[in-house]
Amino acid sequence: MPIPTALDLTRDVVTLTADLCDIASVSTQERALADAVEAALLTLPHLDVIRDGNVVVARTELGRSERVVLAGHLDTVPLTDPPNIPVRRVDGTLVGRGTTDMKGGVAVQLALAARVPSPSRDVTFIFYDCEEIEEEFNGLKRIGEQQPDLLDAEFAVLLEPTNGGIEGGCKGTLRVDVVTKGISAHSARPWNGHNAIHDAGDVLARLTAYEPATVHVDGLDYHEALNAVGIRGGIAGNVIPDVCTVSVNYRFAPDKSAEEALAHVQQVFSGFDVTLGDCAIGARPGLDQPAAQAFVEALGLPVVAKEGWTDVARFAALDIPAVNFGPGDPNLAHTDDERCPEQQIEDALAALTRWLA
């Protein structure tokens, strides 16, 4: 049984980030960090703390007219060999696993929990596990399914890295297999068969000619994308292939349902067998909602569309508008030399303090 490492929430937020990073928490191995987070939050008398597996939830109960959620995941992708923790401070930058994705954001959550005991809105802080691996293990998903009242709020902020800007909502993602069928034959006598890989040329031609849309949703522009991400066919070097499968990924704006996204892809590949692999719908940013507008006004930062998919979609499924806002460049997430400017962590804390205090 690992002994929890103590977290001192009175330390400056950059040092707190380093302390969090130095507690290894690769996906499914978050217990030591969850224990430390829980222990630190239990010292704050203004919070009710709830533990569910390796998810820690802390809530104010001040009777405010509005409740907001601040959420962040505790896990990281695997460490390098040799390990890229403990983190290092180099010329105003924290370097090491988790600094960008996303323990800088988690440190901001903890600092806010300690420093703003009487926020202008009731706040639910959620620290969850297993975001970096298969959806079935995701702690936020589990809480949403088993205890959805813990997510209930007028607005949510996911502190994923956004380079210090605000990214509204997120795009949906869908994967299909487009299948062409032929007739197998000896490659020395191809006229006895029909080459399924050659037929895949039409699938690729349609992708090349495809013009992705830019869709305006709640004041933000989401750039859709349709791309081949894999191709499989053939069983031997002397056999004409009778089946070829092109895997296609569609990133779609959050104005579409899963059914609408699939129907669009089926239309693009009309005449081919199209089989759905997986699909996760996007999230509208809800910038027309008062809670979202107040957040944007308080931070005084421009808002752009989130071009990827994040767990803000889980809040959107509950009709809770949500945005992404956190320190760190997402392009550096998961890299061996993951790093985050210290100033971005401090600025994120200052911005959210303005909003809540």
Side-chain angles (χ1 to χ4, degrees):
M1 187 75 66
I3 299 174
T5 301
L7 294 172
D8 183 353
L9 302 188
T10 67
R11 305 186 83 179
D12 70 90
V13 69
V14 174
T15 302
L16 180 57
T17 301
D19 292 343
L20 289 164
C21 292
D22 290 346
I23 304 175
S25 57
V26 175
S27 302
T28 74
Q29 302 169 35
E30 301 95 338
R31 182 169 182 174
L33 182 55
D35 287 347
V37 167
E38 180 187 26
L41 291 171
L42 285 171
T43 68
L44 304 176
H46 60 280
L47 294 175
D48 291 339
V49 180
I50 302 159
R51 179 74 177 263
D52 184 309
N54 286 330
V55 177
V56 183
V57 180
R59 296 163 55 92
T60 65
E61 297 289 355
L62 302 172
R64 304 296 196 228
S65 61
E66 180 179 275
R67 177 172 292 278
V68 297
V69 169
L70 298 180
H73 63 82
L74 299 175
D75 61 320
T76 71
V77 296
L79 306 178
T80 57
D81 185 17
N84 46 355
I85 58 171
V87 299
R88 297 172 291 119
R89 301 180 77 156
V90 180
D91 298 328
T93 301
L94 276 183
V95 181
R97 178 63 77 227
T99 51
T100 288
D101 193 10
M102 58 164 290
K103 292 183 178 179
V106 171
V108 170
Q109 289 178 263
L110 290 170
L112 286 166
R115 299 181 191 186
V116 188
S118 185
S120 58
R121 301 152 173 85
D122 270 312
V123 182
T124 301
F125 299 95
I126 301 177
F127 307 86
Y128 62 101
D129 58 335
C130 293
E131 188 272 348
E132 298 289 7
I133 56 176
E134 291 84 353
E135 183 186 29
E136 63 186 287
F137 301 106
N138 187 293
L140 188 63
K141 176 178 183 290
R142 184 179 73 252
I143 293 298
E145 292 174 347
Q146 298 178 3
Q147 301 186 70
D149 56 304
L150 292 180
L151 303 187
D152 189 36
E154 280 69 45
F155 182 64
V157 180
L158 188 65
L159 280 90
E160 286 276 9
T162 62
N163 226 7
I166 302 173
E167 295 180 340
C170 70
K171 289 192 295 196
T173 180
L174 172 151
R175 182 182 55 80
V176 298
D177 284 341
V178 184
V179 179
T180 61
K181 296 180 179 179
I183 301 172
S184 62
H186 196 295
S187 61
R189 302 174 183 84
W191 50 83
N192 291 328
H194 183 85
N195 196 311
I197 290 180
H198 291 183
D199 284 354
D202 186 21
V203 176
L204 300 178
R206 294 189 193 189
L207 285 168
T208 301
Y210 181 80
E211 295 185 4
T214 297
V215 183
H216 199 65
V217 182
D218 294 346
L220 301 181
D221 289 332
Y222 292 86
H223 303 91
E224 295 196 332
L226 187 69
N227 289 283
V229 292
I231 188 165
R232 307 182 301 279
I235 60 172
N238 59 356
V239 177
I240 297 298
D242 61 350
V243 175
C244 181
T245 302
V246 181
S247 294
V248 176
N249 178 231
Y250 179 36
R251 298 289 175 143
F252 55 95
D255 65 328
K256 293 181 178 62
S257 66
E259 293 76 16
E260 290 169 334
L262 178 59
H264 175 71
V265 174
Q266 289 172 327
Q267 181 181 35
V268 172
F269 298 109
S270 175
F272 291 100
D273 289 337
V274 177
T275 303
L276 178 64
D278 52 57
C279 181
I281 62 171
R284 300 182 75 105
L287 296 178
D288 55 340
Q289 300 298 311
Q293 293 173 354
F295 177 80
V296 173
E297 287 180 13
L299 268 62
L301 297 170
V303 188
V304 299
K306 182 67 176 179
E307 297 292 3
W309 187 94
T310 72
D311 276 328
V312 296
R314 303 194 190 283
F315 293 103
L318 298 171
D319 293 325
I320 301 169
V323 299
N324 307 271
F325 171 74
D329 182 350
N331 293 306
L332 298 175
H334 303 182
T335 61
D336 288 351
D337 63 341
E338 188 176 341
R339 58 194 184 277
C340 180
E342 296 178 9
Q343 190 64 52
Q344 279 195 5
I345 303 171
E346 295 170 350
D347 288 347
L349 175 58
L352 292 178
T353 300
R354 288 197 304 273
W355 174 50
L356 292 177

